[in-house]
């Protein structure tokens, strides 16, 4: 949007066809909301400091800004700014209108307000249904990590077989000791995997009564392990859709769950229900 | 016991990235243009993400058919030309405040309250 000079030059070097033609009468859509009498105006600006407006159709509103091109950049700092600006608008929409139906970043409708209205009309029932399903609910994300050093220490002290193998190692000659070490390592690995599966199951059992839906996320996200802290291993990560009134209970439950050695939990939110949003035609 | 509230810290940028780029309502209508639509659109955007770390380290899932060489060259280009937080040690920068247990999380600036 702003610094179009240098990136644009770089684009031209690329031979592939690219969506460079301007979008006619574009509306960048952040999210959809349910409009009530109490709805307040959104006070923040959007991506690139653009003015945020709402396109209303019946009782559904699309939070948009006017734009003429897709947002595309190879500049990470720029991308971060866009994402944070996008997220800020969605958060603000949540404040003003209640749980929004978040639209994927960089979705732009062509053809102005009327085009957006027509689209809302053609999906009206479904949108209504989704907005009421998500009402007063948010997405939270729970990451479960183990701290291998502590985790293993605990397994080692608890398992009699491991202790026996260790004792045997000490009493053996070099050749046999090597085999026993292998056996020891295998046993430790198995126990560790078992323990991780147990913890994961237990976590899911603990939180399910408090949430509406749970979606286990692939342990490798599209951004893989960016969020695994050093010296930790990820056991699992889940996205949950929960009533906002359950947030504290959920936090307490996780707090209790993490009261054991060798595991850590990361709990983020509240997010607009991105993971629980549908695909629409 | 602390106050086990969820966080929305700066360190959650990666989560923001994932949610905004990978989740959310996908609109498949003809009138809608989206970076998610095709591998050609948004290749620069993906390059920017890749320049967080290299695409390989990050395990980015590019749509099938993506010209990976082009993405990589964009990413390299980008990291040469923009200020990257300590590129030689990419683990450092984007990870503030991630390694907390729930009970350590004393959220002061939580959004949405």
């Amino acid at each position: 949007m702003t610094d179009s000079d240098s990136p644009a030059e770089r684009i031209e070097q690329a031979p592939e066809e690219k969506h460079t033609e301007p979008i006619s009468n574009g509306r960048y859509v952040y999210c959809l909301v349910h409009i009530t009498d109490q709805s307040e105006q959104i006070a923040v600006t959007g991506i690139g400091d653009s003015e945020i407006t709402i396109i209303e159709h019946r009782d559904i509103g699309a939070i948009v800004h006017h734009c003429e091109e897709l947002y595309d950049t190879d500049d990470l700092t720029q991308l971060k700014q866009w994402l944070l600006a996008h997220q800020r608008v969605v958060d603000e929409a949540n404040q003003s209108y209640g749980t929004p139906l978040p639209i994927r970043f960089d979705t732009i409708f062509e053809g102005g307000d009327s085009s957006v209205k027509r689209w809302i009309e053609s999906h009206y029932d479904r949108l209504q249904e989704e907005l009421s399903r998500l009402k007063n609910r948010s997405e939270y994300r729970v990451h479960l990590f183990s701290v291998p050093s502590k985790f293993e220490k605990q397994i080692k002290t608890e398992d009699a077989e491991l202790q026996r193998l260790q004792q045997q190692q000490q009493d053996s000659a070099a050749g046999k000791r090597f085999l026993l070490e292998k056996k020891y390592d295998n046993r430790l690995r198995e126990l560790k995997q078992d323990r991780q599966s147990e913890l994961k199951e237990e976590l899911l059992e603990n939180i399910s009564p408090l949430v509406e839906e749970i979606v286990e996320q692939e342990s490798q996200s599209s951004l893989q392990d960016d969020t695994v802290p050093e010296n930790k291993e990820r056991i699992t990560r889940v996205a949950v859709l929960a009533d906002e009134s359950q947030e504290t209970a959920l936090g307490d439950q996780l707090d209790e769950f993490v009261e054991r050695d060798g595991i850590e939990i990361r709990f983020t939110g509240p997010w607009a229900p991105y993971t629980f949003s549908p695909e629409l035609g | 016991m602390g106050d086990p509230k969820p966080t929305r810290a700066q360190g959650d940028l990666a989560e923001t990235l994932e949610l905004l780029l990978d989740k959310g309502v996908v609109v498949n209508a003809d009138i809608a243009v989206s970076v998610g639509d095709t591998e050609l659109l948004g290749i620069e955007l993906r390059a920017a993400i890749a320049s967080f770390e290299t695409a390989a380290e990050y395990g980015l899932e590019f749509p099938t058919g993506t010209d990976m060489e082009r993405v990589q060259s964009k990413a390299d280009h980008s990291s040469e030309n923009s200020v990257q937080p300590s590129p030689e040690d990419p683990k450092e920068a984007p990870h503030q405040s991630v390694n907390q247990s729930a009970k350590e999380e004393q959220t002061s600036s939580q959004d949405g309250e």
Side-chain angles (χ1 to χ4, degrees), chain A residues 214-239:
Chain A
I214 298 183
V215 179
E216 268 189 72
Q217 305 292 289
E218 287 173 27
S219 60
Q220 298 205 337
S221 78
S222 54
L223 294 162
Q224 218 199 4
D225 285 343
D226 53 311
T227 50
V228 177
E230 224 174 311
N231 305 325
K232 296 186 182 59
E233 284 174 15
R234 168 135 54 210
I235 299 178
T236 190
R237 58 188 197 119
V238 295

Side-chain angles (χ1 to χ4, degrees), chain A residues 130 133-134 137-140 207-208 210-216 238-243 275-277:
Chain A
E130 292 292 335
R133 175 175 75 92
L134 299 170
R137 291 177 178 166
S138 282
E139 174 169 345
Y140 299 89
I207 59 179
S208 358
L210 299 170
V211 303
E212 304 302 320
E213 280 181 54
I214 298 183
V215 179
E216 268 189 72
V238 295
V240 301
L241 180 69
D243 227 82
T275 306
F276 303 91
S277 295

